[in-house]
Amino acid sequence: MQQGLTATPSSHSSSSISTPRGISPTSWMGNFEPSNAGSSADFPQQNANSNSKDEAELLSVSWNQDYDFFSTGTSHGFQIYSCVPFKETLRRDLRGGFKIVEMVFRSNILALVGAVTNPHYPPKKVLIWDDYQSRSIGEFTFRSEVRAVKLRRDRIVVVLEHKIYVYNFKDLKLLQQIVTLANPRGLCCLSYLPNTFVLACPGVVRGQVRVEHFGLNMSKLIYAHDSHIGCLTLTRDGLLLATASAKGTLIRIFNTMDGTRLQEVRRGVDRAEIYSIALSPNVQWLAASSDKGTVHIFSLRVRVVGEETLPAPTTPQSPALLRQNSSTSLDSFLSPNIGSNPSSSLSFMRGVLPKYFSSEWSFAQFRLPENTQYFVAFGSQNSIIIVGLDGSFYRCSFDPVHGGEMVQQEYVQFLKSESTPA
């Protein structure tokens, strides 16, 4: 591989790039036909007789930025699946597993991080893989284990336990380093619209979230919870932030421009680990999964007016004007067209009784086994998609007026595991 950029010693990392022309993702997922797994010359290939679909252990699940595909890292390689219709789109059976497999929308570019047991690609290395060319086009090597990788069309974000690195996608140039509190789960989320770049991550004190508005050259610290941050996500334009603490009882929604808390909903009373939070594209709904096995949907009283509805500026705007436009495009409202979250019958005594009695509870629910981690995303027409680390895929619908128990529309066991019922 041709030696390229090398980070300074203070960054605790080094990187190299294989092509001076940089990286240019090529779309293929929409009508992609899988190529022969043996065509990937840069990867050591798995013996055809030593691996099967039933033997692979699922290590990770990750959605693409549009939530219409998801990638899985396994003990024997990685796969990519389309959600509508459900279909395996790509499979690479290799020697050694991958604990992180991240996509760039539907493009051929992937970010890969090996599992601890992978002798060829250790968990301290990020591999930028072009599956169209079947070769590596860039690498980052760090001194500590990579906890997460997040991608945009123009940026690569690598999350270590105490630091986050932001790189330019085209030439792998290091743009920024962010120091965080201990972050073993690799919590970090990005906005995905092309003309806004917002990043949210844990701050440097417990319960704090740091929000970077790169286009405005502005940082915002939000004190979201008393305990450590357990999960977080942004809307596509980065104007709304949803967070849960390690306690896992409450989920809060914030305006990322000024840090205002807009809404708070209650998952439950008992402590729980929140595995994922998803916001619907129209920001009417929030879904959350946890180790309690129930996926909850909440009705939101906030809405972000998408950038496509705002008049396009004809002249360059100052950061102050951009800030004003972004802030005023965020409105809190009660919608007459959707159901509202139920609350306690004693909620009229708000401020007198404990906070529990004035909480907003979930609007709709779907109950799952408690023996695995599940990750949620919103589909079309009031539906959600759930993928479990037991190799399960669910599509469920909910009633947007009355809520209640969701209806299972589709179930696929795409990968067998030790926890899969016989």
Side-chain angles (χ1 to χ4, degrees), residues 180-198:
T180 69
L181 197 65
N183 185 16
R185 293 183 60 185
L187 299 178
C188 181
C189 54
L190 312 178
S191 65
Y192 295 119
L193 293 185
N195 53 345
T196 62
F197 180 22
V198 182

Side-chain angles (χ1 to χ4, degrees), residues 40-95:
S40 302
D42 281 19
F43 279 137
Q45 298 301 313
Q46 183 77 22
N47 186 312
N49 297 323
S50 65
N51 181 30
S52 73
K53 180 178 180 180
D54 293 347
E55 296 172 352
E57 177 188 359
L58 196 55
L59 303 179
S60 67
V61 170
S62 181
W63 305 101
N64 76 337
Q65 292 80 358
D66 289 326
Y67 300 99
D68 53 357
F69 284 78
F70 68 92
S71 55
T72 62
T74 75
S75 55
H76 293 146
F78 59 89
Q79 290 86 41
I80 293 175
Y81 299 85
S82 66
C83 296
V84 181
F86 180 83
K87 179 184 178 182
E88 182 183 283
T89 307
L90 174 69
R91 169 180 290 264
R92 292 288 178 255
D93 292 325
L94 311 164
R95 289 185 207 152

